[in-house]
Amino acid sequence: MDINQKELSNRKGVLQQALHLAKAPIIISFFVTPIRFLLELAGLPEYAIFLIGLLWLTLAFSVFWGIKLFNEKQPYLLLLISLAIFSPISRLTVVAAW
């Protein structure tokens, strides 16, 4: 295997690992958004609804991934790719509810 094939294989491995990391947060976000939407329809105050949202979920998973990826070979790259996958997909339920 030459250097280009190894590099391509490594990139595929990083992308697959990032997809694996983003899978659970995406599933959780598909439940958080409808719950928040229903709470808004129920008329709960804005400060209560603000606590349940994708912003806090993104921050929480960023910290979790940062701790989990501490010993990885390319932790910042994995964190960046995982967030790039998670962020737009998690907003699909927001678009659907809007």
Side-chain angles (χ1 to χ4, degrees), residues 31-46:
F31 290 103
V32 167
T33 303
I35 290 171
R36 181 180 171 146
F37 181 71
L38 292 173
L39 292 175
E40 287 177 3
L41 287 178
L44 256 63
E46 183 64 33

Side-chain angles (χ1 to χ4, degrees), residues 36-93:
R36 181 180 171 146
F37 181 71
L38 292 173
L39 292 175
E40 287 177 3
L41 287 178
L44 256 63
E46 183 64 33
Y47 67 87
I49 296 171
F50 178 73
L51 296 174
I52 302 172
L54 295 177
L55 170 70
W56 300 115
L57 190 63
T58 303
L59 292 174
F61 277 109
S62 296
V63 171
F64 173 72
W65 286 334
I67 293 168
K68 187 174 182 178
L69 297 174
F70 178 72
N71 291 327
E72 288 293 325
K73 187 176 180 182
Q74 300 172 323
Y76 295 115
L77 180 62
L78 276 171
L79 181 61
L80 178 67
I81 294 172
S82 297
L83 286 172
I85 293 168
F86 166 68
S87 295
I89 295 174
S90 67
R91 286 2 184 226
L92 291 176
T93 51

